[in-house]
Every structure is written in structure tokens, then in C-alpha cells.
């Protein structure tokens, strides 16, 4: 619930972003220098029970299939990219949840840790809602920001992974009926990933130290009844990368990552990839500090060390990258930054 959105009459075609952010008052999580500084979201890996249906769904959200980057002899990944250059890597899940249930979201009494949703900025939430409905996409939820006006809508992909379209603070851009197009979604790349965690204070510190999310944007006293804690805490990097931390986790740490347990992928957001300026320097800093990580190229031999990502479902980016896990087992990939051509389809 942060980062950039679109503005002006050209918003439907991917205009320059304007700020639409949760305010930051200068508070920091820690004064300790971070081991890495993430720059932007690069891509997310999404597992689904139906790749073709998911590709069709995300096409409506502005993502084009990128043929030259798609599945090769060594991987099973379908690459989608939007007009801002952010990508989705879509793979077939090894196991489907019973009755197509979202393992992270759909059981009201069981809330495991993990990446719960993706969020994109839009110029006008009401217009976005009407657009989704015109595409036959069901609205699964709505929210405001301290008032009655709807500031975000939620929808589910065919495997029930949650996507949020939001505009939190800026005035809604006036749009004529039918003017909202797929290109208006996420013109400033992805806004944030929502990640459910167990221990808010400890995780805030871990993310600040390990990923560089040092700016304390939003926090509150959590309810002792953890299932009542729906509102996220937010921290931010110097480069304006936000993660929204969902504090209602109530499962045992020994259960591990429900989407990757046993090396079999289940539907959902398997990992989020963030760019850094220098992967080798990050590796050196992690090694010196004792932070566990694995090179993406070494995943095939790392399963015994607790890295449960099937190598055939992890794309070779053609540039250095590593994986790191937060203390709850949620995966992040850190990749050498690269200039990526955006999708050419904007209508």
C-alpha cells in the first residue's frame, strides 16, 4: 500500500507515476547499516493449478507473455511482463489445494506465514473495479483508508492468489466510462508484496538488516488475539521499496513454508525477487554476517539444506541472483539489477 501510481489523462496508457504513499516521518527501524539495499521489485514466482488460465487472467491485468523468455529445455517457467517492466514467472503447481483453496488466505482459523498478495497502483479505483467486472473478474474484497471511500479492490487469479488494485491518498483521476484499460494497472511496477509473519518486532529488524527496509512507515500495537490483526505494518527501503507485513500468523514454526514444503510447489506466490546493485557484494556481506543464502544456480544441490525450490521452476535470469529466506521461511530472490524492456502491448 505504497509506491507510485498514475496520473492525468494519459493514465490509461501508462503515464508517468506520481507519489501516492503512506507517509514516512523519518522514523527508522534500526540505525544499523543494512547488509543489502533492495532497489525495486523485479518479478514474482506464482504457482498455479492451470498455467493457461492464469496467463489469460494476468493478460487482463496488463501482463503480456514474453515468448523469448519462456520455458526452455531447463525450466518450466512462463514469463509475463507488464508495461512497467515488472514480471510474473508462472509455473504449474506440483500439488493443488483441495477445492482450489488458497492455503494462506482461505481458512479463517489457520494463518500460515508467507506472501499473501501483490498490490498495484491504479489511477481510479472505481474505474478499476468496473474494468475488472467488465472482464468477468469477481471482486473479492474492498477497503478504505480511514473513511468510507473505497481505496482498494481485491481479486483472485484462477488459483485464488490475491491481487490488490489501490490508490490510497491521491485524488482519483477522473476517467470517462470505459476509459480504464489494462495498461492503467501497475504503471509504476508493483507497489508492494504483502507478507504474513510471526513476530512483528523481530521481523521488522530482520528485514531492515538483511534487505535494507530501514524506514519505519507504519506500525501499531497488535491485538493479543492475533487473528484480529489485519492491518499491515509497513517498512520501506531507501529506494522506496515497501513490504506490508501482515501480523495475524498463528501457526507453529515447525510447519515450514506451506507452499514449498517437501520440495513440491502449491498454488500461490512462491517468492518475490528484488534487484540489488551488486549481488557479489551482497553475498560477501551475508557471508560475513552469517546470513544463510544460496546461489540460484546451486539450487539443485541445496535441497538438503532446507531450500525447497524445484530448480526446474526457477528461471535462469542470465544475471547473478541468490535466494534468502526470512525466519518464517518466506523466500526472496535478490538479483543483479538489469535494464529490462517493458511489454510492448499497451491497449
Amino acid at each position: 500500500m505504497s509506491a507510485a501510481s498514475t496520473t492525468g489523462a494519459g493514465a490509461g496508457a501508462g503515464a508517468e507515476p506520481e507519489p501516492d504513499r503512506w507517509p514516512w516521518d523519518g522514523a527508522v527501524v534500526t540505525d544499523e547499516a543494512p547488509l543489502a539495499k533492495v532497489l525495486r521489485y523485479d518479478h514474482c514466482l506464482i504457482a498455479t493449478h492451470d498455467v493457461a488460465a492464469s496467463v489469460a487472467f494476468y493478460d487482463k491485468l496488463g501482463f503480456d507473455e514474453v515468448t523469448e523468455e519462456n520455458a526452455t529445455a531447463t525450466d518450466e517457467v512462463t514469463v509475463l511482463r507488464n508495461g512497467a517492466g515488472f514480471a510474473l514467472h508462472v509455473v504449474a503447481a506440483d500439488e493443488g489445494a483441495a477445492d482450489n483453496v488458497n492455503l494462506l488466505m482461505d481458512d479463517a482459523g489457520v494463518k500460515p506465514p508467507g506472501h499473501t498478495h501483490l498490490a498495484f497502483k491504479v489511477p481510479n479505483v472505481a474505474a478499476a473495479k468496473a474494468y475488472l467486472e467488465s472482464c468477468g473478474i469477481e471482486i473479492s474484497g474492498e477497503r478504505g483508508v480511514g473513511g468510507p471511500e473505497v481505496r482498494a479492490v481485491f481479486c483472485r487469479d484462477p488459483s485464488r492468489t490475491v491481487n490488490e488494485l489501490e490508490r490510497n491518498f491521491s485524488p482519483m483521476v477522473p476517467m470517462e466510462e470505459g476509459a480504464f484499460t489494462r495498461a492503467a494497472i501497475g504503471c509504476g511496477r508493483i507497489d508492494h508484496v504483502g507478507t504474513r509473519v510471526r513476530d512483528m518486532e523481530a521481523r521488522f529488524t530482520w528485514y531492515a538488516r538483511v534487505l535494507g527496509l530501514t524506514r519505519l512507515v507504519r506500525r501499531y500495537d497488535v491485538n493479543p488475539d492475533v487473528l484480529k490483526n489485519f492491518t499491515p505494518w509497513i517498512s520501506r527501503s531507501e529506494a522506496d521499496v515497501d513490504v506490508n507485513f501482515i501480523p495475524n500468523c498463528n501457526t507453529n514454526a515447525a510447519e515450514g513454508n506451506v507452499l514449498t514444503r517437501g520440495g513440491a510447489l502449491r498454488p500461490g506466490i512462491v517468492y518475490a525477487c528484488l534487484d540489488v546493485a551488486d549481488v557479489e557484494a551482497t553475498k560477501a556481506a551475508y557471508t560475513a554476517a552469517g546470513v544463510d543464502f544460496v546461489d540460484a544456480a546451486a539450487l539443485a544441490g541445496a535441497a538438503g539444506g532446507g531450500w525447497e525450490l524445484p530448480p526446474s521452476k526457477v528461471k535462469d535470469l542470465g544475471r547473478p541472483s541468490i535466494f534468502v529466506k526470512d525466519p518464517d521461511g518466506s523466500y526472496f530472490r535478490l538479483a543483479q539489477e538489469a535494464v529490462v524492456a517493458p511489454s510492448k502491448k499497451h491497449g
Side-chain angles (χ1 to χ4, degrees), residues 126-162:
K129 179 181 179 181
Y131 167 77
L132 292 176
E133 292 175 333
S134 74
C135 293
I137 297 174
E138 180 181 355
I139 304 301
S140 60
E142 299 178 347
R143 66 159 177 82
V145 179
E149 185 178 20
V150 175
R151 283 286 178 168
V153 293
F154 299 85
C155 61
R156 305 283 194 106
D157 77 8
S159 286
R160 297 190 56 75
T161 296
V162 178

Side-chain angles (χ1 to χ4, degrees), residues 70 83 92 102 128 140 158 162 165 219 221 227 232 240 258 279 305 307 313 326:
N70 277 347
N102 182 316
S140 60
V162 178
L165 309 185
R219 59 167 294 169
D221 292 331
L227 291 178
D240 289 339
V258 298
V279 167
W307 301 92
K313 297 188 178 183
D326 79 5

Side-chain angles (χ1 to χ4, degrees), residues 274-285:
L274 298 142
D275 288 343
V276 295
D278 190 335
V279 167
E280 292 303 318
T282 300
K283 289 166 61 175

